[in-house]
Every structure is written in C-alpha cells, then in structure tokens.
Amino acid sequence: MQIPKIPRIGFVSLGCPKALVDSERILTQLRAQGYDIVPTYQNADLVVVNTCGFIEDAVEESFNAISEALAENGKVIVTGCLGAKKEVLQSRYPSLLAITGPQDYEAVMTAVHTHLPQPRDPFTSLVPPQGIKLTPRHYAYLKISEGCNHKCTFCIIPSMRGKLVSRAVVDILGEAEQLAKAGVKELLIISQDTSAYGVDIKYQAGIWRNQSVRAHLTDLAAALGQLGIWIRLHYVYPYPHVDEIIPLMAEGKLLPYLDIPFQHASSRILKLMKRPASSENNLTRIQAWRRICPDITLRSTFIVGFPGETEQEFEELLDFLRAAQLDRVGCFKYSAVEGATANNLPDPVPEDLKQARWERFMEVQSAISKQRLATKVGKTLRVLVDQIDDKIAIARSSSDAPDIDGLVYIRNPQQLQPGMWSEVLIERADNYDLYGVSKL
C-alpha cells in the first residue's frame, strides 16, 4: 500500500511580535490538519508569506520576500498587514495564489485547501498543547487583543487590523497557564494597545482558579503574576491606570519592566500625532514609578522628523531624554507610509535633516544607556539563557526583552543550556550590553 504524500508548506514570517503570533496560529492550524512545515522553498509545495506593512522599510522587506518566494517556488499565498493592500499586490504580483489580510486565519486555510488539499487523516497528535511556536521553548509572546481604537496620524495599523477586539480573560489566562506548563519561563504580553485591554467588552469578568478576574490590565496582570514565571508588558500606552501595575512590579509579581511608547516630548507634536499625555506629566509619573519600584526598567520609542517638527521641538525631545533617563529607547525617522494622515501635514522635514536628528538623538540616548548600565557592574543579576554560541552564553536579564534590548554575555557557559536560569556577576558594561561570569 502506497503511503500518501504529506503536503508541505514553506512559511515566511515578517514584522513585529504581533505578526509572529499570527504566524504561530496559522502554523498550528496547518500542523493540526496534517500539513508538514518545511524550511526551504525547494521542498515546499507552496509558500505562505506573512507580511508587514507598518513603515516604508517593512513594506519593502515584504515586497522582497514575496519576490523571492515567487522566484524560488512560484506558488505563493500572501497574508498579513500588506495583504490589506490587495489591489497593490495583485497589480505587482498577478501570479499570487491568494491574498488575505491580517488575522484572517480562516481565509489563509481556505486558500491552502484550495491549492493544496488537506490530507485525509491529519495527525493532530503531532501538535503540542501549546500550539506551534516560532520562539525558543523557554519564552513566548501572548497576544491579548487585536486592533486599535487610536487614530495616530503616523500609523495605518487600525486601517489594516481594525478596531480593538479584546480576548476573553479566561482564554488568555488558560493559554498562559498552558504555556507555563509546557516549560515557558517568560511570557511577553503584546497587543496594539495593551493599556486598552477590555474596554470594548466592558471589562467583562471571568472565573479562573476559582477567582473572578476582570478583562482589565490590572486584573489580568495580577492574575498572570500568579504563574510564577517572568511576565513582561509591551506596548503600554501611558493611561492613568498604568500607575496601578507598578506596585505589582515592586512586589515581584511582574517583571519590573515597562514598554511605554511616548513617541515625542513636544506638546504640539504630540497633538499633531494625536497621542495622549504631555512630557511634563510623563516626567512626573516616571519619578513616581521609580519611587515605588526603584529597579524598574523603562523602555520607549520615539519618532524624529515628524512633519512640522522644529529645531526647538527636537531640542525639547532631547531635554526630555536627559531628564527621563530611560533605560531602553528605540528611535525611528518619520516614514511617510501610504495612507497615514500625517503625510498631509505641512512643513515636511527633509530626509537629510531627519537623519541628522536621528543621529543626535541616538548619541544622547547612547550616553544615557551607557551610564545606567555602568551602575550594574559589580552586581549579581538573575538571567535567562537564550543560546550558547562560540564558547559564550547569551542571556537576558529582567531589563532585556528579546530582539529589541541588550544582552548579557557570560564567559563561562560550561554548565549552562538555553532556557536555564543563572546568577551572573556583572564584570563590565558597554553602551547596550553587559558582560559577566556565571556563579553556577
């Protein structure tokens, strides 16, 4: 009896952690239905490309990935944020098998079934309870909502992913508990707007572990803190109720880490961006957070070269950096993404001036980062080992999220393995990373 050939799917995942979670969900569904996932174009019967369309560079990366998949394989399904621009993709790539938008898992599966029929006997036992993950076994991203209710003038994500849709709190906590049981030691909580979680479902409560938990950031964070693993919060807008989660960090229930995108410090620019809060309020709150939780790590992102940004307003941003002394900072030059309403604002900043301001911004922040990391020399930090590479262990402390923050390099990795905890004596620091020796 001839064994039927298992259909094979190639998969390319681009973009932010939120898109990564989308990819994990699609891969889990494909695997559950008996498809095999292969790492090369040549061995795949068709390829799915999950695209990003947030900024110009990401769009270009997505175009390049689609072109490569078509050239190497020829049978390609496109999904993700760039899939929202269906007409553009159809015009540019008429041979695509199908185009679906972000979060449209059913449409992806329908397209796969159409062009590569589902096996008759899917091996559902091949799928682990926590689903297929694209991250290492010891950490995972947990998405708590889709979409966003904001209308930030520089962003087109709401037009691609829609308005806020929060998950039921018991579903989130159930998935988190399953991941913890599967060996995940760090959960990274993500969404488009983590602070707004639950507002669309009126903070509807659910029962978890015989306790009532509201679909609200503070209740959710407190419940996640009961799992006994690292809980790291990302994309937290600076709403007033964010202050309520800082004590949870001080108590050790959450990692003392807050990713809060301020974007700028000028009140006028923030208004043009349609962003909440002012720099004065933010500085006051940062000081209060540090009084409650002295070890808190603050990460943020900013945009330079926003249309109309004056030299004085840029200097105001640099002054805010010096005053806030943020630990981790990302900076983007304003990108005129098609569809962003900010593109219609007057007085666009020339590209060479954007670049100059970006360089000045990074110079200021680099010095701040170096100074703050230097205070950790001589201290012992608990770290989570990510990989062993060339006789050195690469790990992260509570201050370091994967891919976007710094690393801790350990020079004696003999007894260490990925996913292990280690106590590390920090011997030296540079602008972004720490170096030390394991005390195991």
Side-chain angles (χ1 to χ4, degrees):
M1 178 179 177
Q2 186 177 6
I3 299 175
K5 178 186 174 184
I6 298 176
R8 298 169 299 182
I9 306 287
F11 205 97
V12 179
S13 182
L14 303 173
C16 65
K18 294 177 284 294
L20 181 74
V21 173
D22 292 343
S23 294
E24 291 173 342
R25 290 178 179 175
I26 295 169
L27 287 169
T28 298
Q29 190 67 24
L30 287 168
R31 202 72 182 92
Q33 294 188 8
Y35 291 93
D36 198 6
I37 311 301
V38 296
T40 64
Y41 293 119
Q42 290 73 24
N43 291 330
D45 296 307
L46 65 78
V47 178
V48 177
V49 181
N50 189 11
T51 59
C52 179
F54 181 47
I55 60 176
E56 192 173 320
D57 289 346
V59 171
E60 193 59 34
E61 181 185 21
S62 295
F63 283 150
N64 290 339
I66 295 168
S67 297
E68 180 178 88
L70 285 170
E72 296 292 332
N73 183 277
K75 298 180 179 179
V76 179
I77 294 169
V78 170
T79 187
C81 286
L82 199 58
K85 300 181 178 180
K86 191 170 184 177
E87 296 77 11
V88 174
L89 289 174
Q90 286 176 329
S91 174
R92 185 161 180 160
Y93 305 106
S95 63
L96 289 174
L97 299 180
I99 301 167
T100 78
Q103 306 153 221
D104 197 351
Y105 316 122
E106 291 185 4
V108 175
M109 297 308 300
T110 297
V112 171
H113 294 158
T114 298
H115 298 282
L116 191 61
Q118 178 183 352
R120 291 184 179 179
D121 299 306
F123 298 98
T124 55
S125 61
L126 295 178
V127 181
Q130 72 274 17
I132 303 297
K133 293 294 175 185
L134 296 176
T135 51
R137 183 174 180 268
H138 57 277
Y139 70 82
Y141 293 98
L142 179 61
K143 189 189 290 188
I144 64 174
S145 65
E146 300 282 5
C148 181
N149 288 343
H150 288 290
K151 296 181 179 179
C152 299
T153 58
F154 56 81
C155 182
I156 59 172
I157 292 298
S159 66
M160 293 179 172
R161 291 184 171 261
K163 291 187 175 182
L164 178 72
V165 179
S166 298
R167 295 177 62 190
V169 68
V170 292
D171 290 346
I172 296 171
L173 292 171
E175 182 180 349
E177 197 165 29
Q178 191 68 57
L179 288 166
K181 289 178 180 177
V184 167
K185 296 180 178 179
E186 177 182 10
L187 280 179
L188 300 105
I189 309 305
I190 60 171
S191 65
Q192 299 297 333
D193 178 3
T194 299
S195 303
Y197 170 67
V199 67
D200 59 310
I201 54 176
K202 301 185 185 330
Y203 308 119
Q204 184 177 5
I207 302 300
W208 179 72
R209 290 187 174 181
N210 297 318
Q211 57 188 302
S212 178
V213 182
R214 291 183 306 155
H216 188 282
L217 179 60
T218 53
D219 281 28
L220 176 63
L224 289 169
Q226 298 176 36
L227 295 175
I229 60 178
W230 276 7
I231 305 295
R232 191 184 300 275
L233 299 181
H234 284 284
Y235 314 117
V236 180
Y237 277 65
Y239 300 152
H241 68 264
V242 172
D243 298 346
E244 299 171 12
I245 64 176
I246 307 303
L248 296 174
M249 297 179 180
E251 295 165 13
K253 295 179 180 178
L254 305 175
L255 282 185
Y257 178 102
L258 193 60
D259 176 5
I260 189 158
F262 292 125
Q263 305 297 12
H264 213 279
S266 162
S267 296
R268 190 183 76 89
I269 294 297
L270 286 169
K271 186 176 180 180
L272 289 174
M273 290 179 170
K274 292 191 176 180
R275 295 287 294 181
S278 67
S279 58
E280 293 83 3
N281 291 340
N282 286 334
L283 283 174
T284 300
R285 295 174 75 195
I286 287 169
Q287 293 164 0
W289 295 341
R290 285 178 170 151
R291 284 194 297 270
I292 297 169
C293 185
D295 293 332
I296 192 170
T297 295
L298 296 175
R299 150 167 272 283
S300 191
T301 52
F302 296 88
I303 296 173
V304 297
F306 191 80
E309 181 189 59
T310 65
E311 182 64 23
Q312 181 180 348
E313 287 165 335
F314 176 68
E315 288 290 348
E316 189 177 346
L317 174 55
L318 297 184
D319 289 341
F320 175 82
L321 283 184
R322 297 184 184 103
Q325 293 287 298
L326 301 173
D327 301 272
R328 306 295 195 189
V329 171
C331 182
F332 300 91
K333 292 171 284 186
Y334 175 75
S335 176
V337 179
E338 182 181 353
T341 57
N343 298 340
N344 301 321
L345 292 173
D347 304 317
V349 178
E351 290 299 324
D352 58 345
L353 185 53
K354 286 183 193 177
Q355 179 66 26
R357 287 179 179 173
W358 181 84
E359 291 174 2
R360 289 166 60 194
F361 179 103
M362 294 307 298
E363 183 179 1
V364 170
Q365 182 55 38
S366 178
I368 293 170
S369 175
K370 182 177 181 179
Q371 184 178 21
R372 294 190 69 80
L373 286 178
T375 65
K376 299 185 179 184
V377 174
K379 295 182 178 179
T380 297
L381 302 180
R382 191 185 194 210
V383 303
L384 184 57
V385 177
D386 279 343
Q387 64 183 96
I388 309 297
D389 184 27
D390 194 25
K391 299 182 180 179
I392 198 165
I394 302 174
R396 293 178 294 106
S397 72
S398 64
S399 298
D400 309 307
D403 299 324
I404 57 174
D405 292 328
L407 298 168
V408 180
Y409 293 93
I410 307 170
R411 62 180 173 84
N412 60 331
Q414 289 79 6
Q415 299 181 48
L416 299 177
Q417 294 293 330
M420 287 182 62
W421 299 109
S422 180
E423 301 293 319
V424 175
L425 174 64
I426 303 303
E427 298 174 316
R428 65 184 181 91
D430 59 23
N431 291 28
Y432 301 106
D433 302 316
L434 298 172
Y435 303 81
V437 58
S438 173
K439 299 176 74 173
L440 273 183

PDB file of all heavy atoms in Angstrom, residues 54-74:
ATOM      1  N   PHE A  54       3.885  48.264   8.158  1.00  0.00           N
ATOM      2  CA  PHE A  54       3.800  49.384   9.083  1.00  0.00           C
ATOM      3  C   PHE A  54       4.561  50.612   8.596  1.00  0.00           C
ATOM      4  O   PHE A  54       4.056  51.715   8.569  1.00  0.00           O
ATOM      5  CB  PHE A  54       4.299  48.954  10.458  1.00  0.00           C
ATOM      6  CG  PHE A  54       4.227  50.045  11.479  1.00  0.00           C
ATOM      7  CD1 PHE A  54       3.083  50.811  11.630  1.00  0.00           C
ATOM      8  CD2 PHE A  54       5.312  50.314  12.292  1.00  0.00           C
ATOM      9  CE1 PHE A  54       3.010  51.820  12.580  1.00  0.00           C
ATOM     10  CE2 PHE A  54       5.243  51.317  13.239  1.00  0.00           C
ATOM     11  CZ  PHE A  54       4.098  52.075  13.388  1.00  0.00           C
ATOM     12  N   ILE A  55       5.829  50.443   8.217  1.00  0.00           N
ATOM     13  CA  ILE A  55       6.633  51.560   7.725  1.00  0.00           C
ATOM     14  C   ILE A  55       7.221  51.186   6.370  1.00  0.00           C
ATOM     15  O   ILE A  55       7.162  50.028   5.948  1.00  0.00           O
ATOM     16  CB  ILE A  55       7.758  51.942   8.711  1.00  0.00           C
ATOM     17  CG1 ILE A  55       8.711  50.756   8.947  1.00  0.00           C
ATOM     18  CG2 ILE A  55       7.177  52.437  10.031  1.00  0.00           C
ATOM     19  CD1 ILE A  55       9.900  51.100   9.827  1.00  0.00           C
ATOM     20  N   GLU A  56       7.786  52.177   5.715  1.00  0.00           N
ATOM     21  CA  GLU A  56       8.263  52.004   4.340  1.00  0.00           C
ATOM     22  C   GLU A  56       9.284  50.873   4.226  1.00  0.00           C
ATOM     23  O   GLU A  56       9.228  50.059   3.302  1.00  0.00           O
ATOM     24  CB  GLU A  56       8.867  53.317   3.853  1.00  0.00           C
ATOM     25  CG  GLU A  56       9.133  53.359   2.358  1.00  0.00           C
ATOM     26  CD  GLU A  56       9.560  54.737   1.895  1.00  0.00           C
ATOM     27  OE1 GLU A  56       9.000  55.736   2.383  1.00  0.00           O
ATOM     28  OE2 GLU A  56      10.468  54.801   1.061  1.00  0.00           O
ATOM     29  N   ASP A  57      10.228  50.814   5.171  1.00  0.00           N
ATOM     30  CA  ASP A  57      11.248  49.760   5.128  1.00  0.00           C
ATOM     31  C   ASP A  57      10.624  48.374   5.260  1.00  0.00           C
ATOM     32  O   ASP A  57      11.057  47.417   4.612  1.00  0.00           O
ATOM     33  CB  ASP A  57      12.283  49.971   6.237  1.00  0.00           C
ATOM     34  CG  ASP A  57      13.193  51.161   5.968  1.00  0.00           C
ATOM     35  OD1 ASP A  57      13.200  51.656   4.824  1.00  0.00           O
ATOM     36  OD2 ASP A  57      13.895  51.601   6.898  1.00  0.00           O
ATOM     37  N   ALA A  58       9.602  48.261   6.127  1.00  0.00           N
ATOM     38  CA  ALA A  58       8.925  46.975   6.316  1.00  0.00           C
ATOM     39  C   ALA A  58       8.168  46.560   5.061  1.00  0.00           C
ATOM     40  O   ALA A  58       8.134  45.378   4.697  1.00  0.00           O
ATOM     41  CB  ALA A  58       7.978  47.053   7.511  1.00  0.00           C
ATOM     42  N   VAL A  59       7.534  47.523   4.398  1.00  0.00           N
ATOM     43  CA  VAL A  59       6.831  47.241   3.145  1.00  0.00           C
ATOM     44  C   VAL A  59       7.809  46.720   2.098  1.00  0.00           C
ATOM     45  O   VAL A  59       7.538  45.734   1.400  1.00  0.00           O
ATOM     46  CB  VAL A  59       6.099  48.499   2.633  1.00  0.00           C
ATOM     47  CG1 VAL A  59       5.560  48.264   1.223  1.00  0.00           C
ATOM     48  CG2 VAL A  59       4.971  48.883   3.578  1.00  0.00           C
ATOM     49  N   GLU A  60       8.971  47.374   2.014  1.00  0.00           N
ATOM     50  CA  GLU A  60       9.978  46.958   1.037  1.00  0.00           C
ATOM     51  C   GLU A  60      10.500  45.560   1.350  1.00  0.00           C
ATOM     52  O   GLU A  60      10.710  44.734   0.451  1.00  0.00           O
ATOM     53  CB  GLU A  60      11.143  47.954   1.023  1.00  0.00           C
ATOM     54  CG  GLU A  60      12.087  47.797  -0.157  1.00  0.00           C
ATOM     55  CD  GLU A  60      11.398  47.967  -1.505  1.00  0.00           C
ATOM     56  OE1 GLU A  60      10.446  48.781  -1.598  1.00  0.00           O
ATOM     57  OE2 GLU A  60      11.799  47.279  -2.462  1.00  0.00           O
ATOM     58  N   GLU A  61      10.689  45.267   2.636  1.00  0.00           N
ATOM     59  CA  GLU A  61      11.131  43.930   3.035  1.00  0.00           C
ATOM     60  C   GLU A  61      10.094  42.884   2.635  1.00  0.00           C
ATOM     61  O   GLU A  61      10.431  41.784   2.167  1.00  0.00           O
ATOM     62  CB  GLU A  61      11.373  43.877   4.540  1.00  0.00           C
ATOM     63  CG  GLU A  61      11.867  42.518   5.031  1.00  0.00           C
ATOM     64  CD  GLU A  61      11.997  42.438   6.539  1.00  0.00           C
ATOM     65  OE1 GLU A  61      11.359  43.246   7.244  1.00  0.00           O
ATOM     66  OE2 GLU A  61      12.743  41.553   7.021  1.00  0.00           O
ATOM     67  N   SER A  62       8.817  43.224   2.807  1.00  0.00           N
ATOM     68  CA  SER A  62       7.745  42.302   2.431  1.00  0.00           C
ATOM     69  C   SER A  62       7.717  42.070   0.924  1.00  0.00           C
ATOM     70  O   SER A  62       7.575  40.935   0.456  1.00  0.00           O
ATOM     71  CB  SER A  62       6.390  42.843   2.902  1.00  0.00           C
ATOM     72  OG  SER A  62       6.316  42.890   4.307  1.00  0.00           O
ATOM     73  N   PHE A  63       7.864  43.148   0.146  1.00  0.00           N
ATOM     74  CA  PHE A  63       7.927  43.003  -1.311  1.00  0.00           C
ATOM     75  C   PHE A  63       9.084  42.084  -1.718  1.00  0.00           C
ATOM     76  O   PHE A  63       8.934  41.205  -2.580  1.00  0.00           O
ATOM     77  CB  PHE A  63       8.106  44.368  -1.975  1.00  0.00           C
ATOM     78  CG  PHE A  63       6.843  45.190  -2.046  1.00  0.00           C
ATOM     79  CD1 PHE A  63       6.906  46.579  -2.021  1.00  0.00           C
ATOM     80  CD2 PHE A  63       5.593  44.587  -2.149  1.00  0.00           C
ATOM     81  CE1 PHE A  63       5.756  47.348  -2.097  1.00  0.00           C
ATOM     82  CE2 PHE A  63       4.435  45.352  -2.225  1.00  0.00           C
ATOM     83  CZ  PHE A  63       4.515  46.734  -2.201  1.00  0.00           C
ATOM     84  N   ASN A  64      10.231  42.275  -1.078  1.00  0.00           N
ATOM     85  CA  ASN A  64      11.400  41.447  -1.406  1.00  0.00           C
ATOM     86  C   ASN A  64      11.147  39.974  -1.081  1.00  0.00           C
ATOM     87  O   ASN A  64      11.535  39.079  -1.843  1.00  0.00           O
ATOM     88  CB  ASN A  64      12.629  41.949  -0.651  1.00  0.00           C
ATOM     89  CG  ASN A  64      13.123  43.290  -1.157  1.00  0.00           C
ATOM     90  OD1 ASN A  64      12.837  43.686  -2.284  1.00  0.00           O
ATOM     91  ND2 ASN A  64      13.860  44.005  -0.331  1.00  0.00           N
ATOM     92  N   ALA A  65      10.491  39.733   0.055  1.00  0.00           N
ATOM     93  CA  ALA A  65      10.214  38.348   0.456  1.00  0.00           C
ATOM     94  C   ALA A  65       9.240  37.685  -0.515  1.00  0.00           C
ATOM     95  O   ALA A  65       9.403  36.509  -0.875  1.00  0.00           O
ATOM     96  CB  ALA A  65       9.647  38.324   1.877  1.00  0.00           C
ATOM     97  N   ILE A  66       8.220  38.422  -0.946  1.00  0.00           N
ATOM     98  CA  ILE A  66       7.259  37.873  -1.912  1.00  0.00           C
ATOM     99  C   ILE A  66       7.950  37.565  -3.235  1.00  0.00           C
ATOM    100  O   ILE A  66       7.750  36.498  -3.832  1.00  0.00           O
ATOM    101  CB  ILE A  66       6.097  38.861  -2.129  1.00  0.00           C
ATOM    102  CG1 ILE A  66       5.286  39.029  -0.846  1.00  0.00           C
ATOM    103  CG2 ILE A  66       5.185  38.375  -3.260  1.00  0.00           C
ATOM    104  CD1 ILE A  66       4.305  40.183  -0.893  1.00  0.00           C
ATOM    105  N   SER A  67       8.784  38.507  -3.698  1.00  0.00           N
ATOM    106  CA  SER A  67       9.504  38.302  -4.962  1.00  0.00           C
ATOM    107  C   SER A  67      10.399  37.078  -4.885  1.00  0.00           C
ATOM    108  O   SER A  67      10.458  36.267  -5.827  1.00  0.00           O
ATOM    109  CB  SER A  67      10.339  39.540  -5.291  1.00  0.00           C
ATOM    110  OG  SER A  67       9.526  40.680  -5.482  1.00  0.00           O
ATOM    111  N   GLU A  68      11.085  36.925  -3.764  1.00  0.00           N
ATOM    112  CA  GLU A  68      11.980  35.772  -3.596  1.00  0.00           C
ATOM    113  C   GLU A  68      11.193  34.470  -3.581  1.00  0.00           C
ATOM    114  O   GLU A  68      11.591  33.486  -4.225  1.00  0.00           O
ATOM    115  CB  GLU A  68      12.773  35.923  -2.302  1.00  0.00           C
ATOM    116  CG  GLU A  68      13.744  34.779  -2.037  1.00  0.00           C
ATOM    117  CD  GLU A  68      14.546  34.989  -0.770  1.00  0.00           C
ATOM    118  OE1 GLU A  68      14.065  34.571   0.303  1.00  0.00           O
ATOM    119  OE2 GLU A  68      15.650  35.556  -0.850  1.00  0.00           O
ATOM    120  N   ALA A  69      10.075  34.444  -2.854  1.00  0.00           N
ATOM    121  CA  ALA A  69       9.268  33.223  -2.781  1.00  0.00           C
ATOM    122  C   ALA A  69       8.719  32.841  -4.149  1.00  0.00           C
ATOM    123  O   ALA A  69       8.701  31.660  -4.523  1.00  0.00           O
ATOM    124  CB  ALA A  69       8.129  33.409  -1.780  1.00  0.00           C
ATOM    125  N   LEU A  70       8.285  33.834  -4.929  1.00  0.00           N
ATOM    126  CA  LEU A  70       7.793  33.555  -6.273  1.00  0.00           C
ATOM    127  C   LEU A  70       8.903  33.037  -7.172  1.00  0.00           C
ATOM    128  O   LEU A  70       8.702  32.103  -7.959  1.00  0.00           O
ATOM    129  CB  LEU A  70       7.171  34.819  -6.871  1.00  0.00           C
ATOM    130  CG  LEU A  70       5.787  35.208  -6.339  1.00  0.00           C
ATOM    131  CD1 LEU A  70       5.410  36.599  -6.835  1.00  0.00           C
ATOM    132  CD2 LEU A  70       4.732  34.181  -6.766  1.00  0.00           C
ATOM    133  N   ALA A  71      10.088  33.638  -7.046  1.00  0.00           N
ATOM    134  CA  ALA A  71      11.204  33.220  -7.893  1.00  0.00           C
ATOM    135  C   ALA A  71      11.687  31.817  -7.543  1.00  0.00           C
ATOM    136  O   ALA A  71      12.028  31.022  -8.424  1.00  0.00           O
ATOM    137  CB  ALA A  71      12.355  34.220  -7.756  1.00  0.00           C
ATOM    138  N   GLU A  72      11.707  31.494  -6.239  1.00  0.00           N
ATOM    139  CA  GLU A  72      12.263  30.221  -5.788  1.00  0.00           C
ATOM    140  C   GLU A  72      11.250  29.080  -5.803  1.00  0.00           C
ATOM    141  O   GLU A  72      11.618  27.911  -5.930  1.00  0.00           O
ATOM    142  CB  GLU A  72      12.832  30.373  -4.373  1.00  0.00           C
ATOM    143  CG  GLU A  72      13.995  31.336  -4.259  1.00  0.00           C
ATOM    144  CD  GLU A  72      15.243  30.823  -4.953  1.00  0.00           C
ATOM    145  OE1 GLU A  72      15.399  29.593  -5.053  1.00  0.00           O
ATOM    146  OE2 GLU A  72      16.062  31.652  -5.399  1.00  0.00           O
ATOM    147  N   ASN A  73       9.958  29.421  -5.639  1.00  0.00           N
ATOM    148  CA  ASN A  73       8.944  28.367  -5.561  1.00  0.00           C
ATOM    149  C   ASN A  73       7.838  28.533  -6.599  1.00  0.00           C
ATOM    150  O   ASN A  73       7.457  27.578  -7.278  1.00  0.00           O
ATOM    151  CB  ASN A  73       8.341  28.317  -4.150  1.00  0.00           C
ATOM    152  CG  ASN A  73       7.338  27.212  -3.979  1.00  0.00           C
ATOM    153  OD1 ASN A  73       6.168  27.355  -4.327  1.00  0.00           O
ATOM    154  ND2 ASN A  73       7.789  26.081  -3.431  1.00  0.00           N
ATOM    155  N   GLY A  74       7.309  29.761  -6.707  1.00  0.00           N
ATOM    156  CA  GLY A  74       6.298  30.050  -7.714  1.00  0.00           C
ATOM    157  C   GLY A  74       4.870  29.984  -7.232  1.00  0.00           C
ATOM    158  O   GLY A  74       3.986  30.633  -7.799  1.00  0.00           O
TER     159      GLY A  74
END
